[in-house]
Amino acid sequence: MATVTHDQALANARHLLAGQPAAALAQAQAIIEVVPTSAAAHRLAAHALRALGREDEAQAAALDAVGAAIHDPEMIAAALALAEDRLPDAEAALRGRLRDDATDVAAIRMLAEVAGRIGRYGDAEKLLMRAVELAPGFGAARANLATVYYKQNRFAEAVAALDSVLGDDPDNPAHANLKAAALGRIGGYDEAIALYEELTRRFPGHAKLWMSYGHMLKTVGRQDDSIAAYRHALATDPGLGEIWWSLANLKTIRFDAADRSAMEAALVDAAPTDEARADDRLHLHFALGKAYDDAGDHAAAFRHYAAGNAIRSAQLGYDPADTRATVDAIIAHFPAERFAAMAGAGAPDPDPIFVLGLPRAGSTLIEQILASHSAIEGTMELPDIPALALSLGRDATGDPRRWVEALADLPSDALADLGRQFLARTAVQRKTDKPFYIDKLPNNWLYLPFIRLTLPGAKIIDARRHPLDCCWSNFRQHFAKGQAFSYGLEDIGAYYRDYVRLMAHIDAVQPGRVHRVIHEALLDDPEGEVREMLAYLNVPFEEACLAFYANDRAVRTASSEQVRRPINRDGVDQWRPYDAWLDPLKAALGPVLEAYPGVPLLAD
């Protein structure tokens, strides 16, 4: 059939579809007999079959259309643009195709991938839902939808979606791996570990699976098994930098000369000219920083820490002006009078306890202490407060960064609804009937007005550590995601200073609403500080809180192994051997450094 005849036949079939689906089906089938790779004809057949009530056949035809799309020159061009990361070209081609045929599920799925690549997960979700609606048997679209849920921190929905996908494709290791990761994010550790055990049996040479298995074992406190899993992964792929960093990130092992040599060799293999190996290089640099620190070679350690930070900083492109602008906006929009005018709004539930501050400031220790109390459940660093605040800004103004002004304009019922949304979203994290639970996401300090107005009954604990110890600890820590401020000494210092500035404002306009724990005071007088915390929380003192290291609960942060030991001063003054390189940090901290633990008068 000539191309023009093929196009005319398609047009005739489309014309028949509205009133004569059986005739349209016959026309579509005739086209398919001549051109079996005609995706458009398969889609027409699916529509006609659906109109005739033959749903199972319609779904099969829709999947045939997806398969046929791989022969379509337009789809091949769009796929090539995606593979080469020419996203504008791919998007333009796919949108043009969907203008011609809005039911092309292969194009819908590819457009969803474009949206996901640029972080428009809401758009990706809508597109994938449409693809699944048109072709319920399109397993790849359902798997993509599970990934989009995961990327949006909707882990329970990701697990449910993956259960469906794995029901049809039980032997797919990528889907099982994602399910295990999602289970870990909602506290399903036993099921996640069982999945990893099965996967590593089936794929013993898959280094990243062994690494993920090691992460989960670390989380539940099985440190020796975790180390064994990481070492097994290294035996499979000694050049995978993330595994070396995973070992370093345990904080409790010391690398030897053989380890340093192996990492240096891997770093040579991951040449700077190989852009695809940038992540390997940055992980190796961070791990080598730890290794040379163990050996007492602080110059070499700093050189590697600086190199790893430089790579990650270039990838993330953090601008400290964004954090400063948010703090400025909060101070401007939320004076004492605004809080007073909005008092009584929000969801009154007293369940949440927020432990916040900078990363590496002792928040995991505080959480472990509190989670050892019979009335308080520890969860993890929950992403829900930032997600809700940024969604508010996006919905109200089109710009997630403008959540502050959007919050200031909200009526009482909307504030209460947001509070209830937080409680509903985090309910999956609660595994006991304890009345209180902890969200210890450090970055929640930047969303304090959101917390105070949507959850006025919640308690807030600010974990604060000496600026140089805290900032240096951030600089030598590579975070799995986020914390973009932490990859430059000046950026870390500016971030700490903005944090102190905002907390001082909250103390002034909401006195007594935030309880501050100075890390060094907690080390000096654990019982006294713990008693004060519990009194602020209105729960009785319990001795178990002083024996927090005996608590075998899962801990997901970089401090997981450190909080399984009694209180110690190992982390104090770790910056001192690196003092010669810290002038940029000290300059950025400014008066905050000299005033600690007090607060200097900082300009708004």
Side-chain angles (χ1 to χ4, degrees):
M1 184 181 292
T3 302
V4 64
T5 306
H6 172 260
D7 290 346
Q8 288 176 339
L10 286 172
N12 290 337
R14 291 190 184 101
H15 179 73
L16 290 169
L17 189 60
Q20 302 177 61
L25 176 61
Q27 180 72 70
Q29 290 172 334
I31 298 170
I32 292 167
E33 285 183 14
V34 178
V35 187
T37 59
S38 173
H42 286 291
R43 286 193 297 276
L44 276 170
H47 287 307
L49 287 162
R50 192 162 282 123
L52 293 167
R54 294 157 63 179
E55 183 60 32
D56 289 346
E57 293 173 86
Q59 291 187 27
L63 291 179
D64 288 339
V66 173
I70 65 172
H71 303 285
D72 189 303
E74 290 181 358
M75 291 295 284
I76 293 171
L80 182 62
L82 261 178
E84 295 176 348
D85 210 33
R86 293 183 285 110
L87 300 186
D89 294 343
E91 182 172 11
L94 293 165
R95 288 195 181 281
R97 188 175 180 88
L98 290 170
R99 277 194 296 272
D100 294 336
D101 187 347
T103 65
D104 186 339
V105 291
I108 293 170
R109 175 183 174 247
M110 287 176 67
L111 188 59
E113 183 174 346
V114 173
R117 292 242 198 125
I118 58 179
R120 295 187 342 227
Y121 296 120
D123 292 342
E125 179 183 348
K126 291 173 186 174
L127 287 164
L128 291 167
M129 291 290 286
R130 176 63 174 155
V132 170
E133 177 187 0
L134 290 167
F138 192 6
R142 287 189 287 127
N144 290 156
L145 184 59
T147 300
V148 167
Y149 286 144
Y150 187 90
K151 295 284 189 182
Q152 296 179 94
N153 300 313
R154 292 158 58 186
F155 305 114
E157 291 168 272
V159 169
L162 287 162
D163 281 340
S164 173
V165 171
L166 285 164
D168 295 335
D169 188 11
D171 294 325
N172 189 305
H175 298 161
N177 187 29
L178 183 60
K179 180 182 176 183
L183 283 166
R185 298 295 298 177
I186 58 174
Y189 302 113
D190 290 344
E191 188 177 353
I193 286 172
L195 260 177
Y196 281 129
E197 286 173 348
E198 178 188 349
L199 287 167
T200 51
R201 279 195 300 271
R202 290 169 53 202
F203 305 97
H206 197 302
K208 288 191 175 181
L209 271 179
W210 280 96
M211 180 178 69
S212 297
Y213 182 33
H215 294 342
M216 202 63 64
L217 292 166
K218 167 191 168 183
T219 297
V220 300
R222 292 169 55 183
Q223 184 180 134
D224 290 344
D225 292 337
S226 173
I227 293 170
Y230 291 146
R231 291 291 185 184
H232 185 107
L234 282 175
T236 302
D237 186 354
L240 188 57
E242 190 175 355
I243 308 173
W244 285 108
W245 170 245
S246 298
L247 277 170
N249 203 29
L250 288 170
K251 306 289 195 294
T252 56
I253 69 166
R254 294 179 66 86
F255 289 120
D256 58 22
D259 288 325
R260 292 195 299 275
S261 295
M263 282 188 271
E264 292 282 13
L267 192 57
V268 170
D269 290 340
T273 54
D274 186 353
E275 199 54 42
R277 298 291 303 276
D279 280 350
D280 280 328
R281 288 195 299 277
L282 77 88
H283 283 108
L284 285 163
H285 279 305
F286 276 102
L288 279 163
K290 166 71 164 65
Y292 282 110
D293 184 89
D294 289 345
D297 188 344
H298 298 113
F302 186 83
R303 184 174 66 251
H304 281 291
Y305 283 134
N309 275 284
I311 295 171
R312 190 60 172 152
S313 178
Q315 290 177 339
L316 297 177
Y318 173 73
D319 186 351
D322 292 338
T323 302
R324 185 167 62 250
T326 300
V327 172
D328 289 343
I330 292 172
I331 292 172
H333 281 85
F334 291 99
E337 296 79 10
R338 180 62 63 88
F339 277 109
M342 302 173 85
D349 307 61
D351 304 32
I353 299 169
F354 293 92
V355 180
L356 44 76
L358 259 73
R360 314 297 299 151
S363 59
T364 304
L365 174 59
I366 291 172
E367 180 197 35
Q368 186 80 342
I369 289 168
L370 296 180
S372 300
H373 194 282
S374 62
I376 303 172
E377 181 175 4
T379 58
M380 60 181 69
E381 296 181 358
L382 307 180
D384 303 276
I385 288 293
L388 288 168
L390 295 173
S391 292
L392 171 64
R394 185 181 301 110
D395 294 343
T397 71
D399 183 351
R401 295 171 298 180
R402 293 173 61 189
W403 66 267
V404 177
E405 59 191 87
L407 180 68
D409 292 335
L410 281 185
S412 296
D413 58 343
L415 291 170
D417 181 61
L418 284 167
R420 287 190 292 268
Q421 285 186 52
F422 174 83
L423 295 167
R425 288 171 61 127
T426 57
V428 68
Q429 304 290 348
R430 303 185 71 174
K431 309 300 180 185
T432 72
D433 59 359
K434 294 181 178 183
F436 305 109
Y437 69 108
I438 301 168
D439 175 354
K440 69 158 295 286
L441 185 70
N443 312 71
N444 277 336
W445 70 266
L446 197 56
Y447 302 92
L448 263 173
F450 188 92
I451 295 171
R452 286 292 305 130
L453 293 173
T454 63
L455 294 159
K459 299 291 188 179
I460 301 166
I461 294 176
D462 172 24
R464 188 167 300 183
R465 184 182 179 193
H466 188 281
L468 292 180
D469 269 332
C470 184
C471 294
W472 170 248
S473 187
N474 273 276
F475 187 72
R476 66 180 194 167
Q477 176 71 42
H478 172 58
F479 296 91
K481 65 178 181 178
Q483 317 305 1
F485 70 90
S486 70
Y487 296 97
L489 290 173
E490 297 94 334
D491 292 344
I492 298 172
Y495 190 85
Y496 192 106
R497 186 168 172 166
D498 277 326
Y499 147 72
V500 170
R501 183 163 65 98
L502 179 58
M503 298 305 293
H505 173 74
I506 297 296
D507 287 345
V509 300
Q510 290 269 275
R513 298 298 187 180
V514 175
H515 179 79
R516 184 157 298 110
V517 177
I518 301 298
H519 184 66
E520 294 76 23
L522 179 59
L523 301 185
D524 290 340
D525 181 16
E527 182 171 343
E529 291 293 322
V530 169
R531 285 184 179 275
E532 286 190 20
M533 269 196 290
L534 297 179
Y536 164 74
L537 297 174
N538 293 320
V539 296
F541 175 77
E542 292 181 358
E543 290 287 345
C545 293
L546 297 179
F548 61 87
Y549 47 86
N551 189 336
D552 62 358
R553 58 179 286 271
V555 182
R556 290 191 56 88
T557 72
S559 302
S560 60
E561 299 312 310
Q562 291 160 301
V563 299
R564 293 188 171 109
R565 302 163 54 209
I567 279 181
N568 59 79
R569 305 186 67 84
D570 291 353
V572 176
D573 287 345
Q574 289 189 346
W575 61 272
R576 289 194 181 278
Y578 300 91
D579 188 36
W581 297 283
L582 299 185
D583 284 349
L585 170 60
K586 294 175 183 178
L589 287 167
V592 166
L593 176 56
E594 290 185 8
Y596 183 83
V599 177
L601 194 59
L602 294 170
D604 290 347

